[in-house]
Amino acid sequence: MAVTTFAAIDVGSHETALRVYEISKKNGIHELDCVHHTSRLGYETYSTRHISYKSIEKLCKILNGFSDKMKEYGISDYMIIATSALREADNNLIVLDQVKQRTGFTIKILSNSEQRYLCYKAIALTENTFHKLIQKGTLLVDVGGGSIQLSLFDKSALIATQNIMLGSLRIQEVLQDMRNTTDNYQNLVYEFISHDLHAYAKSYLKDVKVRNIIAVGNQLQSFVKYLTAHHFGSVQPLDTKGRKKDSVNHNEYDEFYHAIISQTPEELSRELNITIEKASLLLPTAMIYHNIFEETQAEQMWLSGITICDGMAADFAERKTHIVPAHNFADDILSAARRIAARYECSKKHTGCVESVALKIFDAVKRKNHLTKQDRLLLQIATILHNCGAFINLNDIGENSYKIVTSTEIIGISHKQRMMVANIVRYPILTFPEYNQLSDVFEKSEYIKLTKLNAILRLADAMDRSHRQKFKTVTVTLRGNNLYITGHTIYDIALEQGIFTNHAGFFEEVFGLKPLLRQKKEF
């Protein structure tokens, strides 16, 4: 039985953590070791947007210590990531270079969507109630140092996700100078966070009854420690049958919340045996969850011990040992894209028609052009969103669609992949730009894929240029250097044929295949 040892390193806002895992297809993912050290990267970034030399030096020292630990386990497979603390620092390139020179580690700075996707992967691989909970309204709340991610699930699908810059560490840094100007710090924090959370609830939760909250994030370890010590709700180490319990209802959380806000960080630090810095983050974190409970009137909150390191392990396991999560995230990505399209009043019939034809063309040419499953997903997202810019202005649909996609987060694809989708939809009729116009964003291989996916989208869109869905069925057949696209219809397709012909030359140029639209009349 093949067993792999894998290390995940998270350069976080408050601390830098190393977790070591044993991974096998038979036994899944098992954590072997965990080491973490406090590092104040987030404190500096959120207050000055700059990471000092002293902090860089401390980070390198921590990472060199982690390197020694990894050698003890003989680890060669690892991943090291950073999130908002480095993502928002104005000197992050210098930090990455210093770390590379002094430790040998290459840190990958994740976009927000990549960060959250890793956490989702970890949750989906664990043996918990996630799959049952999301059948009904469930809000997944990830409170980090820099921001909160709120992801709404219903009927087993991801409906919407939103990032709000209200992380526990950021709140503390923003309000620090005001702390001495008020007698009621709790009220100050509450006023600071309540408006954004209320606005989120008003925009996204009006059509869904939230029954459950799933809480994730690095602060939860201290939360569970406090809850267990005081025996709130179901958060006991084990139930009567020896199973771990990990939930509190609304009333139990209220009791916990009022208890925790009555204590000082020093008291919490002594009681929980944690640093004062970590204890001081409990108040804003507790208040965020309290506010979310109030806004949603949820019945239960489930406390997940999932970390982004678990997400890295889950991602590695999926790629290397083919441990497949039970939850289909591709469906979530497409579900989110369809919700975005609905928000901008895209025609379901038109986008559905374009999507169907585009995927048939893709499947016919993919093998010869080395196109991947991921490329297919990006094309599918592009077909769903290609016409959303019409909501803003009918005269420049491509440019407006591009702006909507670049400014809308889609969990499950990276920032680079989202930029690929944006550029696929940006040029529905205009000449596709030369590589030197996009070389600052894309590699040459990515540019070639962009041209191919854009060429497919153009042909598919031409097939429903009238937005009347004239074709009953469409078949696509590749024979030699000819791609025959046969549309079964009784209608006049002069418009579709003309637009198709206009785009056929570009398709032939990038694929080396001549597309031919044939009409088969059905009566």
Side-chain angles (χ1 to χ4, degrees), residues 119-269:
C119 287
Y120 292 175
K121 280 192 170 187
I123 292 169
L125 272 179
T126 56
E127 293 183 7
N128 59 19
T129 54
F130 176 71
H131 310 291
K132 290 182 180 178
L133 290 177
I134 64 173
Q135 291 172 18
K136 296 180 180 178
T138 297
L139 190 63
L140 180 62
V141 183
D142 185 351
V143 178
S147 65
I148 312 169
Q149 190 75 27
L150 298 160
S151 301
L152 180 62
F153 290 83
D154 193 29
K155 297 176 183 175
S156 297
L158 175 63
I159 293 176
T161 186
Q162 180 68 45
N163 185 256
I164 304 175
M165 304 297 263
L166 286 177
S168 55
L169 192 55
R170 192 188 301 272
I171 291 169
Q172 189 183 64
E173 284 302 297
V174 170
L175 301 183
Q176 181 131 336
D177 293 339
M178 306 175 205
R179 190 164 196 160
N180 297 326
T181 65
T182 178
D183 294 330
N184 193 336
Y185 180 64
Q186 289 92 337
N187 189 57
L188 181 68
V189 175
Y190 189 85
E191 286 183 351
F192 184 69
I193 69 174
S194 61
H195 176 266
D196 285 349
L197 292 176
H198 179 69
Y200 170 83
K202 193 174 179 181
S203 297
Y204 292 94
L205 305 183
K206 57 186 178 182
D207 298 324
V208 178
K209 166 60 180 169
V210 174
R211 294 175 180 240
N212 302 290
I213 298 168
I214 299 177
V216 298
N218 292 333
Q219 295 300 312
L220 284 180
Q221 187 178 13
S222 301
F223 252 56
V224 172
K225 209 170 184 180
Y226 189 91
L227 285 162
T228 305
H230 291 267
H231 305 295
F232 286 107
S234 304
V235 188
Q236 307 293 335
L238 301 170
D239 65 11
T240 54
K241 294 184 179 179
R243 296 173 302 197
K244 187 177 178 182
K245 299 183 74 177
D246 52 2
S247 66
V248 289
N249 64 33
H250 196 155
N251 290 334
E252 291 161 348
Y253 185 83
D254 272 351
E255 187 183 345
F256 154 74
Y257 170 69
H258 287 104
I260 209 166
I261 64 173
S262 67
Q263 292 185 265
T264 66
E266 290 76 15
E267 290 170 337
L268 290 169
S269 173

Side-chain angles (χ1 to χ4, degrees), residues 65 74 101 108 137 140 144 151 183 194 221 232 240 297 307 345 375 377 382 396 408 414 465 469 520:
Q101 286 188 43
K108 179 180 181 182
L140 180 62
S151 301
D183 294 330
S194 61
Q221 187 178 13
F232 286 107
T240 54
Q297 291 298 304
T307 67
E345 299 181 3
D375 298 328
L377 177 62
D396 204 354
T408 306
S414 68
R465 187 64 184 85
Q469 296 80 54
K520 187 170 183 180

